[in-house]
Amino acid sequence: MSLRVGVIGTGMIGRDHIRRLTTVLSGVSVVAVADVDSSVASEVAATVGAAVLPGERLIEDPGVEAVLVCSWGGTHEEYVLAAIAAGKPVFCEKPLATSPSACLRIVSAEVGFGARLVQVGYMRRYDAAYQALKDTLDRGVIGAPLMMHCAHRNAGVPAFYQADDMINDTAVHEVDMSRWMFGAEVVAVRVLCPRASGNAGGLPDPMLLILELSTGVLVDVEISVNARYGYDIRGEILGENGTAALGDPGLVVLRRQGGLTRPIPADWRLRFGPAYDAELRDWVSAVRSGSPPSGPSAWDGYAASAVSAAAREALSTGRRVEVRLTSPRPPLYDAH
Ligand code: NAD
Ligand code: ISE
């Protein structure tokens, strides 16, 4: 029997995940969709033969065994809490919620339920290039890490995208990646902004975050969201005995007509397609076998959100802001 999934939010990533669930993965079907824009929901539902339901009804529906939340960040808390209350596994796109307190309400509901139901869509952990980089680091090939330099460049962003989204929605990927890559918490953040790009459209773009990890490692993250030339994700670790950088996954390098070229992906769908496939394959397989999800947990979502909150304060005050996590971490998340 295939796993019957309901998807809330049929915008860009909701549609991409529905395509992946129905045409790339096996053992799963999309039986219901929800979106506040009912015309978009109906259009998408028709392509996969799913029912259209309001979000809360979709979660309660006995025909829906597991839920994917792909609506805007501000709506995640209510849907994830409803899924936990219904005892249904839920894959929630990042960020888990838009404030540390909202994330903690999810953590506490999951702890109250007594088992892990939530996975958060931090897909860098499933990306072949990031996994190879982590493997290189873990094998000691470059010695103990000292710093990591990251760039996260979007060709452009939608008109509704705000300054805080550069942190909550974009840099938050590098926050989660840094915690996973180095197995350490971010303890303080600074945010610096050079003069804004002529393409910035009112955003403090580009922006530089400096993350201090509990181990003394520093991670700097350049966020540019109107880079125009393409979607460019970079990362290089400086270790005591060498450096290791992300490779370009699956790109062909062309030498012809006196030139050397290689393509740059247009957006996140092209750069991270195989990573999204892998994260959902892993989630579907865990849910089908009745195991807890092994991907980023609600606690990881909370920790990333606490760093985002500190970074927003650092942006508005110009100060170094310390990150304080509620402690202790509940034992439910010990294997993480
Ligand atoms: P989008 O604007 O294209 O789509 C969001 C959809 O949610 C819209 O169709 C909107 O009508 C719907 N929606 C809003 N409020 C709703 C509600 N209360 N109930 C049901 N539907 C509602 O946005 P998007 O780019 O698809 O982003 C959606 C989420 O996915 C965001 O949290 C974003 O951060 C995340 N995302 C993650 C990645 C990634 O790389 N992991 C990439 C893109 C987006
Ligand atoms: C978007 O929501 C994503 O998560 C993409 O991965 C990121 O590159 C982009 O900046 C976000 O807006």
Side-chain angles (χ1 to χ4, degrees):
M1 270 288 278
S2 76
L3 177 72
R4 297 187 306 272
V5 167
V7 179
I8 301 178
T10 52
M12 279 197 293
I13 201 148
R15 268 174 279 175
D16 201 43
H17 282 337
I18 289 170
R19 174 195 60 75
R20 142 171 319 109
L21 291 172
T22 54
T23 66
V24 179
L25 305 187
S26 54
V28 54
S29 54
V30 175
V31 295
V33 301
D35 198 294
V36 283
D37 184 337
S38 54
S39 62
V40 172
S42 303
E43 197 183 301
V44 174
T47 64
V48 293
V52 179
L53 295 172
E56 313 70 36
R57 288 255 323 278
L58 176 149
I59 293 169
E60 288 161 7
D61 193 292
V64 170
E65 296 172 290
V67 180
L68 234 73
V69 177
C70 302
S71 45
W72 293 323
T75 68
H76 293 180
E77 178 190 6
E78 120 189 49
Y79 290 132
V80 174
L81 286 175
I84 295 171
K88 294 188 182 179
V90 52
F91 178 98
C92 179
E93 258 312 331
K94 41 63 58 177
L96 175 59
T98 44
S99 70
S101 51
C103 292
L104 274 181
R105 285 192 284 277
I106 293 172
V107 163
S108 127
E110 196 176 40
V111 168
F113 180 77
R116 281 201 50 206
L117 288 174
V118 181
Q119 176 162 333
V120 187
Y122 287 117
M123 77 298 180
R124 275 165 173 66
R125 298 182 186 212
Y126 289 91
D127 178 70
Y130 278 102
Q131 288 179 340
L133 186 59
K134 180 162 171 53
D135 179 61
T136 303
L137 181 67
D138 290 349
R139 284 187 293 113
V141 176
I142 58 167
L146 301 167
M147 299 182 69
M148 181 167 183
H149 308 294
C150 306
H152 184 157
R153 300 189 187 132
N154 288 208
V157 282
F160 58 75
Y161 189 96
Q162 310 274 316
D164 277 355
D165 294 330
M166 294 180 70
I167 294 170
N168 297 342
D169 220 45
T170 299
V172 73
H173 279 293
E174 273 72 22
V175 170
D176 178 71
M177 180 279 297
S178 302
R179 296 181 62 250
W180 166 77
M181 179 70 69
F182 298 106
E185 293 299 349
V186 178
V187 293
V189 193
R190 288 167 228 244
V191 178
L192 300 171
C193 297
R195 76 169 182 83
S197 156
N199 298 326
L203 294 171
D205 179 15
M207 180 186 281
L208 183 74
L209 280 79
I210 301 173
L211 311 176
E212 297 176 28
L213 304 194
S214 55
T215 49
V217 168
L218 284 185
V219 180
D220 59 77
V221 186
E222 173 211 310
I223 300 295
S224 302
V225 295
N226 289 286
R228 296 289 188 263
Y229 71 89
Y231 187 76
D232 199 3
I233 301 296
R234 300 192 191 180
E236 181 187 38
I237 300 174
L238 170 69
E240 290 183 355
N241 303 320
T243 72
L246 289 175
D248 285 339
L251 296 185
V252 171
V253 177
L254 275 181
R255 288 175 172 81
R256 60 181 199 128
Q257 296 176 341
L260 172 66
T261 58
R262 54 188 184 179
I264 298 172
D267 65 22
W268 38 270
R269 282 171 291 208
L270 295 169
R271 167 61 183 82
F272 286 110
Y276 298 123
D277 293 349
E279 70 175 353
L280 284 186
R281 187 174 293 115
D282 188 41
W283 178 71
V284 167
S285 148
V287 174
R288 289 190 72 193
S289 64
S291 322
S294 60
S297 66
W299 180 263
D300 293 318
Y302 159 63
S305 169
V307 178
S308 291
R312 291 195 300 272
E313 188 183 332
L315 174 65
S316 65
T317 61
R319 299 207 187 97
R320 170 183 179 275
V321 178
E322 292 190 359
V323 180
R324 296 201 187 282
L325 295 182
T326 296
S327 63
R329 183 179 66 177
L332 184 63
Y333 304 104
D334 276 356
H336 256 70

